């Protein structure tokens, strides 16, 4: 059977984000608590064979793009093998990965040879001292080495994702924007969301895309950039003369829900139709109980059919979610 997944709001679903682990080699202070994190038990984590089976069936329903995330995907053993197997599926046109970049120097070459096309690196400060504080002790130089290695390996353009948080790193917004003047990187500003370490979320620390743009405009006009196909939720711009692109991802202020094309698979095998909805559809138990492919197709279609029209975060309900980003797969 082949076809395509379309939800009740005429959105075509062709993109799956796959979390391969909820573990991480960092403890970014807005994402994870410093200790006492309860990880999913190993036996509850999908094995690669199980992930590949789900993706293979999903491709028959029209999934053609995948992104590997976590937790930190590069801490999962044999991650290159998973990428290689995904790359063998001819229906998959695009394979990307989101990482904190700390292990990227060691992995970039192998990932690229395995068939990875692009990489997003999360980086919330350009100051080595502050980076150590945010990540609770890691070194910024490792991330830069990783970005350089990724560029050399052809994983281009590297996208650098920053979450600006008021009174924390928002004084670096212009420095991040200026990176695009001299380096061919995409810098993407992501609105802070009420998901993650509970001691960090506070509405007063949130900065809207509108405010971020206003600050960046003090450097020059933000010229809409249409060079990249608009596959994702980012709005892209360039500063005059810049080699890189500035993107804005605005889960709270811009309802990109109407063009949402994705499903998420959590590390413990749940399909999550929407980042901001707690509803999940279990695939792991049916698979381990020996269900056939048709049943998996049915469950994937069910996940799509319950995709909400839009989330209500813009109404600023300062509520937090059961799973942190590292557990959902950011
Ligand atoms: N470990 C990888 C990394 O850091 O890129 C992948 C997983 S991480 C959960 C994915 C993204 O979620 C990161 O860019 C991180 O900044 C973002 N994130 C985590 N908590 C967030 C929050 N409360 N608001 C906005 N973004 C958040
Ligand atoms: Fe780990 Fe990524 Fe969360 Fe930082 S943002 S703690 S790197 S999962």
């Amino acid at each position: 059977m082949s076809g395509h997944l379309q939800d009740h709001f005429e959105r075509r679903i062709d993109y799956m984000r796959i979390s391969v682990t909820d573990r991480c080699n960092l403890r970014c202070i807005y994402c994870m608590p410093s200790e006492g994190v309860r990880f999913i038990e190993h036996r509850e984590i999908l094995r690669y064979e199980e992930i590949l089976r789900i993706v293979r069936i999903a491709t028959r329903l029209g999934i053609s793009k995948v992104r590997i995330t976590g937790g930190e995907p590069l801490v999962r053993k044999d991650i290159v093998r998973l990428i290689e197997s995904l790359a063998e599926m001819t229906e998959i046109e695009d394979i990307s990965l989101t990482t904190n970049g700390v292990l990227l120097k060691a992995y970039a070459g192998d990932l690229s040879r395995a068939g990875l096309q692009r990489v997003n690196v999360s980086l919330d400060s350009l100051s080595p001292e502050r980076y150590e504080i945010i990540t609770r002790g890691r070194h910024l130089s490792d991330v830069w080495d990783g970005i350089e290695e990724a560029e050399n390996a052809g994983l281009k353009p590297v996208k650098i994702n920053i979450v600006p948080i008021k009174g924390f790193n928002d004084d670096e917004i212009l420095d991040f924007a200026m990176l695009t003047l001299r380096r061919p990187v995409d810098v993407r500003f992501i609105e802070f969301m009420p998901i993650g370490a509970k001691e960090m979320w506070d509405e007063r620390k949130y900065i809207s895309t509108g405010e971020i743009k206003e600050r960046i405009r003090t450097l020059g006009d933000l010229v809409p950039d249409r060079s990249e196909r608009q596959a994702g939720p980012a709005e892209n711009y360039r500063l005059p003369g810049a080699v890189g692109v500035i993107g804005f991802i605005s889960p709270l202020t811009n309802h990109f829900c109407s063009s949402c094309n994705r499903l998420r698979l959590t590390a413990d095998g749940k399909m999550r139709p929407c980042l901001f909805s707690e509803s999940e559809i279990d695939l792991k138990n049916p698979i381990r109980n020996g269900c056939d492919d048709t049943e998996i197709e049915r469950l994937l279609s069910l996940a799509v059919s319950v995709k909400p029209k839009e989330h209500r975060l813009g109404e600023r309900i300062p509520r937090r979610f059961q799973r942190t980003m590292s557990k959902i797969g950011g």
Side-chain angles (χ1 to χ4, degrees):
M1 168 172 166
S2 72
H4 66 262
L5 292 165
Q6 183 159 318
D7 71 6
H8 293 308
F9 309 102
E10 293 183 3
R11 293 174 296 197
R12 179 101 179 239
I13 312 302
D14 61 3
Y15 178 37
M16 191 182 283
R17 292 177 75 103
I18 302 167
S19 173
V20 292
T21 181
D22 63 331
R23 283 155 213 263
C24 188
N25 49 350
L26 303 192
R27 291 286 179 277
C28 300
I29 57 184
Y30 60 90
C31 181
M32 275 193 182
S34 57
E35 42 197 53
V37 188
R38 290 176 58 136
F39 292 111
I40 302 170
E41 284 183 53
H42 274 295
R43 65 188 149 91
E44 301 300 332
I45 301 274
L46 286 188
R47 294 189 291 274
Y48 286 160
E49 288 60 36
E50 293 169 326
I51 294 177
L52 289 166
R53 181 173 176 209
I54 293 169
V55 177
R56 203 168 292 118
I57 295 168
T59 62
R60 292 184 215 149
L61 299 174
I63 295 288
S64 59
K65 304 183 197 99
V66 294
R67 171 174 296 277
I68 303 302
T69 182
E72 173 50 40
L74 298 187
V75 302
R76 176 133 181 206
K77 196 159 166 263
D78 290 337
I79 188 71
V80 174
R81 177 164 73 83
L82 176 70
I83 302 287
E84 239 163 34
S85 306
L86 288 168
E88 280 165 12
M89 295 185 199
T90 49
E91 299 86 351
I92 304 273
E93 296 159 8
D94 192 73
I95 309 176
S96 55
L97 177 136
T98 300
T99 171
N100 59 38
V102 168
L103 297 175
L104 196 52
K105 181 167 190 225
Y107 280 94
D110 286 346
L111 288 168
S112 171
R113 281 185 288 277
L116 187 75
Q117 279 146 303
R118 286 171 304 108
V119 73
N120 287 11
V121 178
S122 305
L123 177 60
D124 296 305
S125 178
L126 299 173
S127 138
E129 295 75 29
R130 188 180 278 168
Y131 183 79
E132 270 195 61
I133 296 172
I134 295 178
T135 58
R136 298 193 172 101
R138 299 307 287 235
H139 302 304
L140 179 61
S141 55
D142 292 342
V143 184
W144 281 119
D145 289 350
I147 291 173
E148 219 167 274
E149 196 65 31
E151 285 171 343
N152 293 339
L155 300 171
K156 285 193 275 199
V158 172
K159 293 185 179 167
I160 297 181
N161 291 347
I162 164 185
V163 179
I165 301 176
K166 212 166 258 175
F168 181 64
N169 62 353
D170 64 318
D171 54 344
E172 296 189 49
I173 288 174
L174 298 187
D175 296 335
F176 271 95
M178 282 191 296
L179 271 184
T180 65
L181 294 175
R182 54 194 157 81
R183 240 189 131 114
V185 287
D186 284 14
V187 170
R188 289 134 43 101
F189 294 91
I190 303 177
E191 285 180 339
F192 188 30
M193 300 181 278
I195 300 183
K198 60 175 173 297
E199 58 277 11
M200 265 306 275
W201 171 252
D202 174 347
E203 233 178 305
R204 288 165 301 183
K205 291 184 186 154
Y206 159 82
I207 313 177
S208 69
T209 288
E211 186 178 342
I212 300 168
K213 279 184 184 165
E214 211 172 285
R215 294 202 205 173
I216 295 174
R217 285 202 181 98
T218 61
L219 295 172
D221 285 343
L222 279 172
V223 183
D225 179 83
R226 309 206 191 284
S227 58
E228 198 192 359
R229 70 202 155 95
Q230 284 281 355
E235 278 178 80
N236 292 328
Y237 298 85
R238 254 176 226 270
L239 284 168
V243 282
V245 170
I246 297 180
F248 298 95
I249 300 181
S250 324
L252 274 83
T253 54
N254 171 13
H255 290 286
F256 48 63
C257 301
S258 63
S259 58
C260 182
N261 62 345
R262 61 193 57 189
L263 282 176
R264 291 167 189 269
L265 178 62
T266 66
D268 55 350
K270 311 271 196 287
M271 286 311 314
R272 201 165 161 119
C274 170
L275 175 59
F276 301 110
S277 154
E278 305 282 15
S279 75
E280 294 178 344
I281 286 160
D282 182 35
L283 293 185
K284 183 187 77 225
N285 286 309
I287 286 178
R288 292 190 182 172
N289 291 332
C291 79
D292 61 11
D293 289 4
T294 319
E295 175 62 3
I296 299 177
E297 281 182 13
R298 190 187 70 78
L299 292 168
L300 288 170
S301 302
L302 178 66
V304 167
S305 74
V306 299
K307 252 179 99 62
K309 182 161 183 259
E310 58 192 16
H311 67 70
R312 305 213 172 268
L313 281 183
E315 293 164 16
R316 297 288 196 88
I317 305 161
R319 147 177 187 266
R320 289 179 54 263
F321 290 85
Q322 297 283 325
R323 285 186 190 250
T324 60
M325 278 299 266
S326 62
K327 280 211 161 50
I328 302 170

